[in-house]
Amino acid sequence: MVDKETSRVSSLWSLQYTYQAIRNHTSIADFLLLGFSEHPEQLPLLFGLFLGMYLVTVLGNLLVILAIVADQHLHTPMYFFLANLSLIDTCFSCTIVPKVLVNILTQHHTISHTGCLVQMYFFMALALLDDFLLAVMAYDRYVAICLPLHYTTIMCPQRCLLLVAASWLCAHLLAFSLTLLMSQFSFCASHSIPHFFCDLLPLLKLACSDTQLFQVMMFAEAALSGVVPLACVLVSYAHIMHTILRVPSAGGKHKVFSTCGSHLTVVTLFYGTVFLVYFQPASSYSADTGMLASVVYTTVTPMLNPFIYSLRNRDMKGALWRLSGWGRCSPP
């Protein structure tokens, strides 16, 4: 019994020493991303899934961009916005997934303080850009369906450029302001982030500085960047549905609705997962559920967008077919 007790105490001291050695080896300015470290047996499967989704996301979105640039028939406002959305989704995936793959492959889950803030900045900026651009695309569909005679006048190239430029500028300014405030915080508690990337809320929970001003700014920006674009989407689709219901034939209703069905699917995916992560009561919050929803809107949704817009769009399928070169061999 004495030998067993001595052995157990020795093991506990050994584990404590090892943990302390890891903490000492990791710089105090570093964070530990513990998102998938609790399930080591699933890491090979997770690595394969993330790598596969990353490659499909990058290749799919780049193909959409190339098809739109190469095909003169797609040089319209709707496809101009779609090309921007594909570019944002590519950058969004490149901000999160490569670091996840490196962490899983090397089993080295640290990220520097600066690297964490940079990742958080680009994550917020690109997420806000997605939000703004989906609202712009909803407005474009509203004008095309409800005001077709004025479409070319309202959605002129100058206005399209202005809408996209304003979205990029607002997204980066809002993300920069929160990142700048976050960089002033000190993190005197645990540096372990229970997530697979540097998200805003997990980082905020680790801060031991006064976060009242930050939270006020965060809620103000959430109202500006969340409520306003969502209201634009809802109002646009309310008018679109009203117009569709006035179409007499079922075939006409289907034809009109098919022009915005892809966008509505993407909007549902984006807002559904965002609300699941950021707008649930703290008492019912589950880290595993939050991570699963985060995987959906950071990885799965950008991967699905090219398929949603190409498989349900005859013009996009034709452009991709011609881009591949096979369209030249097909009979007229």
Side-chain angles (χ1 to χ4, degrees), residues 220-240:
E221 290 192 9
L224 177 64
S225 60
V227 176
V228 174
L230 181 58
C232 179
V233 170
L234 293 176
V235 170
S236 296
Y237 273 102
H239 285 284
I240 289 170

Side-chain angles (χ1 to χ4, degrees), residues 55-65 86 90 302-303 306-307 320:
L55 293 176
V56 172
T57 299
V58 173
L59 291 175
N61 283 288
L62 288 179
L63 277 175
V64 169
I65 295 171
S86 294
T90 303
M303 179 188 70
F307 295 99
L320 290 169

Side-chain angles (χ1 to χ4, degrees), residues 182 185 204-205 207-217:
M182 182 71 78
F185 291 162
L204 189 62
K205 290 181 179 179
C208 59
S209 305
D210 183 12
T211 61
Q212 186 175 1
L213 176 61
F214 184 90
Q215 292 187 47
V216 170
M217 280 196 64

Side-chain angles (χ1 to χ4, degrees), residues 40 101 103 108 165 182 199 211 215 232 258 265 267 271 281 303 321:
L101 293 175
N103 288 351
H108 186 69
M182 182 71 78
D199 199 0
T211 61
Q215 292 187 47
C232 179
S258 64
T265 304
V267 166
Y271 282 108
M303 179 188 70
W321 190 259

Side-chain angles (χ1 to χ4, degrees), residues 287-304:
D288 290 337
T289 303
M291 275 201 298
L292 180 61
S294 297
V295 168
V296 172
Y297 78 81
T298 59
T299 310
V300 177
T301 301
M303 179 188 70
L304 292 179

